Amino acid sequence: MRRILLMVFRLFLKTPYYFFQIWRCGKKADITLEESYACVKKVTKAANRAGRVSIEAYGLENIPKENGFIFFPNHQGMFDVLVFLDSCPVPFSFVIKKEASNVILLKQIIAALKAIVIDREDIKQSLMIINQVAEEVKKGRNFLIFAEGTRSKMGNKLLPFKGGTFKSALKSKCPIVPCALIDSFKPFDEKSIARVTVKLIYLKPMYYDEYASMKTNEIAEEVKCRIEEAIADYERKGFVVCP
């Protein structure tokens, strides 16, 4: 919370303008997703600078050249999406739980990036979302999905990945891009406002031929293992070696 207040304080004069621009992106039908993403990305970078947060992204070359893929990172907190918005060069949407969808500014970002809200308690609606994401990915949209379902509260340690979150990938036969977030919990979960660096490693994608014969729980375990290996490798060596 202290860092969020720092961001708002240091951007005090620009906050209304930034808020209006993002709100406008969500309301105007003639604004493309690419334009909306550029707007949100610009605001995100400004907020991260104001909050004294640096983003180090590795493996950007692993992001598929053709659109229509899904990022599957570990989940450490509310700051996770900001790491992707700061570093990812291509537009993406994300799936977000209903409980977080009415938070001010986040609500406007959801509209601007055409993100999809999911009610995890409603099984029927969840199945509809799986199909909706699959269809959107087939059309060339990229998505970010947190396979843990909820954020880990154990630092850089992961919770089990839920197999059901990979059904959209199977249905769309799209590339799966495992992503390792390191220290993404620190900006918002720690009380300090000291400078902090968050790392994001884009791992090599899994293409459909590689996972077509696997069950969703097997895909989930494989993606989780790849992320854990990347984090362990960083913690062991003290620096990131691009896969």
Side-chain angles (χ1 to χ4, degrees):
M1 179 58 73
R2 290 183 181 180
R3 199 175 301 271
I4 295 175
L5 293 175
L6 176 65
M7 289 175 172
V8 173
F9 175 77
R10 296 186 70 181
L11 294 175
F12 183 75
L13 295 178
K14 293 183 178 180
T15 297
Y17 171 76
Y18 285 153
F19 183 88
F20 172 76
Q21 288 298 316
I22 294 175
W23 173 86
R24 179 173 172 273
C25 287
K27 290 294 183 180
K28 295 287 187 178
D30 59 339
I31 297 179
T32 66
L33 179 61
E34 287 73 19
E35 291 171 328
S36 293
Y37 184 75
C39 174
V40 174
K41 188 179 185 71
K42 178 181 178 181
V43 175
T44 299
K45 284 183 171 292
N48 288 345
R49 285 195 300 271
R52 309 178 76 189
V53 183
S54 298
I55 308 299
E56 292 183 3
Y58 302 87
L60 289 167
E61 68 278 5
N62 290 325
I63 298 175
K65 299 297 185 289
E66 294 185 6
N67 289 323
F69 55 83
I70 304 178
F71 293 121
F72 283 98
N74 52 318
H75 192 14
Q76 298 190 342
M78 289 182 61
F79 191 76
D80 296 350
V81 175
L82 298 185
V83 184
F84 279 88
L85 289 171
D86 188 300
S87 65
C88 185
V90 296
F92 66 88
S93 298
F94 53 91
V95 176
I96 185 169
K97 61 184 180 181
K98 180 182 178 182
E99 295 85 343
S101 63
N102 285 318
V103 176
I104 190 167
L105 185 57
L106 184 54
K107 181 178 181 179
Q108 285 69 39
I109 291 175
I110 289 170
L113 298 183
K114 298 178 176 61
I116 297 176
V117 177
I118 187 170
D119 183 353
R120 296 179 297 180
E121 302 300 321
D122 187 335
I123 297 177
K124 184 177 179 180
Q125 192 256 7
S126 297
L127 291 174
M128 291 175 61
I129 295 300
I130 289 171
N131 292 327
Q132 181 182 351
V133 171
E135 290 304 312
E136 293 291 343
V137 171
K138 287 179 183 178
K139 296 175 184 176
R141 282 180 65 189
N142 309 314
F143 274 86
L144 169 67
I145 297 177
F146 294 107
E148 287 164 288
T150 188
R151 68 188 181 99
S152 168
K153 296 182 180 180
M154 303 180 293
N156 290 320
K157 295 185 182 299
L158 279 61
L159 295 173
F161 276 28
K162 299 180 184 298
T165 57
F166 292 88
K167 288 182 179 179
S168 295
L170 268 173
K171 286 178 175 291
S172 62
K173 302 180 180 180
C174 73
I176 290 172
V177 186
C179 302
L181 284 163
I182 300 173
D183 294 340
S184 186
F185 62 93
K186 290 184 176 180
F188 288 167
D189 287 2
E190 294 187 347
K191 294 181 179 180
S192 172
I193 57 172
R195 292 190 180 278
V196 63
T197 299
V198 177
K199 295 176 174 62
L200 172 57
I201 310 172
Y202 295 91
L203 303 175
K204 289 183 179 179
M206 293 174 60
Y207 290 95
Y208 182 67
D209 288 347
E210 184 178 352
Y211 68 82
S213 62
M214 300 168 67
K215 297 179 180 179
T216 54
N217 63 320
E218 293 173 333
I219 300 172
E221 186 59 28
E222 176 62 24
V223 172
K224 178 174 179 285
C225 285
R226 293 188 184 192
I227 294 172
E228 286 179 327
E229 287 175 5
I231 294 174
D233 192 49
Y234 165 75
E235 292 178 338
R236 185 168 55 252
K237 297 178 179 178
F239 57 89
V240 173
V241 177
C242 292

